[in-house]
Structures are given as structure tokens and as C-alpha cells.
Amino acid sequence: MPLDTPVTVKRALISVSDKSGLVAFGRFLSEGGVEILSTGGSARTLAEAGVPVVEVAAHTGFPEIMDGRVKTLHPKIHGGILARRDLPDHLAAMEAHGIAGIDMVVSNLYPFEATLASGADFDTCVENIDIGGPAMVRAAAKNHDFVAIVTDPGDYAAIEAEMRERDGAVSAGLRRRLAMTAFAHTATYDSMIARWLADEEGETFPGRLTSAGVLKQTLRYGENPHQNAAVYLQGPARPGVASAEQLQGKELSYNNLNDTNAAFELVSEFDAPTVAIIKHANPCGVASREELAAAYGEALACDPVSAFGGIIAVNRSLDAATAEEVAKLFAEVVIAPAVDDDAREVLAAKKNLRLLITGAMADPAAPGVVTTPLAGGFLAQSRDNGRIAAEDLKIVTRRAPSAREMSDMLFAFRVAKHVKSNAIVYARDGATVGIGAGQMSRVDSSRIAAWKAREAAGEGAAPKTEGAAVASDAFFPFADGLLAAAEAGATAVIQPGGSMRDDEVIAAADEAGLAMAFTGMRHFRH
């Protein structure tokens, strides 16, 4: 059973990489009569600030060796941390070997993540794998009945407050919470190293797949109000919603974050100025134009009804002209790599609108691993970073696509990658004109997309699907889905191919006068 008695801190060992708040915390301990042991840069920082410290080498009687690789790995350190003060034989061993108790360890680890993110070479990364630090942290966390382990500078204030209240002691409850934080700290650290080494060896799926995140914030609730939720960060940071800066608006919800992520990943696929409007993680409209404001207008025209209350993502700095148009629509979130001052002023009037900036666009070709929970485990797969260019296509019909059709086919297929399966996307002149998502039947997705296009065109007007290209995220298993697209006025089709009935589908396309290309790559998105 854990002990519930407070521990009075008489001796602390400080060895930190993150020196935030170090001097103030060290001065607090020293002024409270705590003897401070320290090493290297931490000792210098404290001493230069006038905080008395005892070098670990002086305490152990053994110098740092091997370029500092061995300094705290000593019985006088680990004995002082690990000794149980309630066991007579432990106390006798301490006395016999001249081991003084250490009641607090303040340690965070070499900056491995920052070193990796800097692009350092292999040897430099290896040298930034901490050994003595994790050993001390884990020892103190294991023996938290008698030792307070401090790994997060954000905990200094709570510890100071409690020690003031308790005459220099730390309660059992706080020690257990600090131990939990410490084990999470070392687990995250080791996970990063294991993932890096696996990447270096080209192993996407090693024998043990590790993953760790750092809590950014807890959310009001999850996908539904009865569910709990939180946001965690994983490094190295990738531009996107998790690392974005929120400039204005209400707190983001779980669904806001999920939908905004989908929107930002979609617009990151395109080089030209592009706008995507998302609802429930599916696009309502996507368009590319020379000017962002024009792209917004075309994206909105695809499905203005569904766009109400949606998420808007752009892949350029948001300008005032676009912001003025966005302000006319009720939207939940706007996300952009940057926002100019005039645009900020325009959107400032929309107090509840969440406005996010990411600083850069996400790389759609970046590798990564995504997971899906299963009962008793999870699925893991490499993220869908596949991209199709014109030279990758196989033209399978008698009629080849025109240059405009080819451009629209590629645009539509790139959007289809971000639409829930079964996915059908109609595009014309670099803008979506009809989207069918998430249906059990591909032909139903085709019909829904065509129906939405007719609705958007208005009564009496020709639907924009006439003369459009249509993309399917997976092959047409029968000709009926393709024929539904032809009935809607599509003239060109792009699909993965690979069906047992490809010949039947090609023949139907030829009979309808369609141009069709196979990509050889599908984009299921469940």
C-alpha cells in the first residue's frame, strides 16, 4: 500500500535540460533550507544566479567521465533516491555506505525531439539520448512514497504552494501525481527514440509500435456530449489544426477540430489558390482560381445549403476580399496559413467565428502512420499520401480526354481522396459541381452528386455537371454508376480500375462517348 505521509524535502537533486523557471524554483528551495545537488549546465545556471549548489561529483567523490555520459549513475545518487526510509535494512545500508537521502529530484531530459526536428545527423541524435536522466526520473517515480519527482516546470508553482503550506513538505497525493507525470515523460521520450530508430531502419511497422502524445487541452466533450475528449500533440510538429494558433472565437469542439483537420488536409493538396468548405468531415465544395476570393465563390456555389455552419480552409494568406465574402456566411471555423491585418479586422466582427493560422501548409506527400481502434487492439496503416499525375493515367476508352477534361479529372480525383467512401466527385473548370459521399452504393453516390448539382444550379438552369469530369474513389463494379454520371452530363471519367467487369464498364463508356482514365490507385476513406 502507498504511504500517505508528507515528505519534508531536505535535499534535492536538480539536473534539467529545460531551464524554464529553474532559478526561481532553485532559490525557493535554497531559501527554505533545502540542500541542492546539481550537475553541468543546471549547476552553472543556479550558481551564476547566486543559488548555492553542491556539484554531484563533489557529493559522490567521483568525477564526471566519458564526456558527461557518466555523472549521476552512482550508488550515492541512486541509493539516495531509491532507499525506502521505512525499512531498517535500507537505512543501515545508507549508513554503512555513506549514502545521504535525496527527497526531491528535479529532472527533464536531453532535448532529443528538438535535436531531431533540427535535422541533426545520426550521431548527434544519439548523443542527445539521455541515460542518466531517465534512470533518475524512473527511480524517483518508483520510490514516490519517499521522493518527489519533478519533470515539468509547469508544476513548480503547485509544489512551492504546497511546501509553503506544509512547512517544506510535499503531500502523498501530489507525489503520486508527479510520479504519473514522470513515467509519462519517460514513456513519451522512449517512444520518440524508438520511432526514430524504426524510421532510420525503414520499418514502418516494428514489432512493437509505440505512440505518445503531449496533452494540449481537454475539450468540453467529445463527438457527443456524453463523451470525454482531449487534444494531444505529437512531434515533430506538422502544420495543421493541432498546432495552429487561434486568433479569435469560441473554444474549438471535438467536431470542429476533426472537421477543420479534414478541410486543411484537403486544401494542402493543391498548388493554386484553393478554398475548401467542409461539413461533417466531407467537402461541400472545393475550387481553385487565380484569386482566393473567386475560389471561395466557386466552392460555395457547389452546395451553398450544406456550407451553412461549415468549416472554411484556404491555402493562401487570407486577404480582406475573401474575408468579406466569408463574413456573409455563418461558418464555424476559418483556417489559413496566415491572415493579413485587413482580413483580421473584417472577421473580428464575427465574435464567435474561430479563426486559426498554421504558419504553413501541410505536406500532402509526408509519410506517417494512422491508427483505428479495434476491440482488443488497433489497426495501423501508412497515411494515404498517394498522388496521381497525368503521366500516371492509363486512357482506356477510344476517345482521349481533352486538356480541360484532363485537368478536371485530376482535380476531381484529388478531391475524391478526401471524401468519405463511396465517393463520387463532379468537377468542371477547377471547381467541384457535385459531390456524393458515404453511400453504401456507388450508384447512389453518383445520383446524389448529380441531384445536388441540379439543386445548386437553381430551377430552370442547366446543372454544372453537364460537360464535367467525374471521379470515383474506387472502381465502378458495374456500369450503372458510370451511366448515372453520363446521364448527369459528365463527359470524362477518372477511376482506379481493377474491377472484374472493367471491360463492361469501358464498353459502356465508349458507347456513351465518354473519355475514361484508370489511375491504378484507389482512395477509400471510411
Side-chain angles (χ1 to χ4, degrees), residues 67-334:
D67 299 319
R69 283 191 170 198
V70 179
K71 50 190 173 186
T72 58
L73 297 170
H74 192 281
K76 284 194 174 182
I77 296 299
H78 285 271
I81 296 171
L82 284 166
R84 289 189 61 93
R85 276 62 153 180
D86 60 340
L87 297 179
D89 58 334
H90 282 214
L91 296 176
M94 292 175 74
E95 185 175 356
H97 298 285
I99 296 173
I102 296 172
D103 311 303
M104 176 180 284
V105 173
V106 184
S107 180
N108 46 63
L109 311 179
Y110 289 173
F112 177 82
E113 182 178 5
T115 302
L116 186 60
S118 74
D121 59 29
F122 184 90
D123 289 343
T124 302
C125 289
V126 168
E127 285 306 310
N128 277 274
I129 296 175
D130 204 332
I131 301 300
M136 288 192 300
V137 168
R138 289 174 60 82
K142 174 177 178 174
N143 203 31
H144 66 267
D145 274 347
F146 306 98
V147 182
I149 172 61
V150 190
T151 55
D152 185 350
D155 288 325
Y156 291 165
I159 296 165
E160 287 186 26
E162 188 159 296
M163 289 179 68
R164 285 193 180 95
E165 181 182 332
R166 294 175 175 269
D167 196 23
V170 180
S171 69
L174 180 53
R175 295 196 311 274
R176 280 194 286 274
R177 184 175 70 78
L178 293 170
M180 178 191 71
T181 301
F183 279 121
H185 184 58
T186 58
T188 300
Y189 193 77
D190 287 342
S191 179
M192 285 189 296
I193 296 167
R195 184 70 260 168
W196 168 67
L197 286 172
D199 290 343
E200 287 290 311
E201 291 299 307
E203 290 196 32
T204 303
F205 303 112
R208 290 183 182 271
L209 183 63
T210 61
S211 179
V214 176
L215 180 67
K216 179 182 181 182
Q217 68 182 106
T218 54
L219 303 174
R220 287 174 294 157
Y221 55 84
E223 198 165 8
N224 298 291
H226 65 278
Q227 295 172 269
N228 298 321
V231 181
Y232 284 83
L233 300 178
Q234 289 183 308
R238 184 169 185 263
V241 65
S243 57
E245 177 186 358
Q246 184 171 348
L247 301 182
Q248 69 172 58
K250 299 185 295 183
E251 179 184 341
L252 289 154
S253 71
Y254 178 97
N255 292 325
N256 291 151
L257 290 160
N258 187 55
D259 293 350
T260 305
N261 181 67
F264 191 71
E265 291 288 348
L266 197 164
V267 293
S268 292
E269 295 274 3
F270 295 93
D271 297 324
T274 301
V275 175
I277 305 174
I278 297 288
K279 194 73 168 287
H280 301 307
N282 272 310
C284 308
V286 185
S288 296
R289 289 291 183 270
E290 290 185 6
E291 300 294 333
L292 207 57
Y296 173 76
E298 292 295 334
L300 180 62
C302 181
D303 189 354
V305 175
S306 297
F308 182 84
I311 310 294
I312 299 169
V314 303
N315 68 350
R316 292 289 191 280
S317 179
L318 186 67
D319 55 61
T322 308
E324 286 171 358
E325 293 304 310
V326 167
K328 297 174 183 177
L329 177 76
F330 168 64
E332 293 280 2
V333 182
V334 174

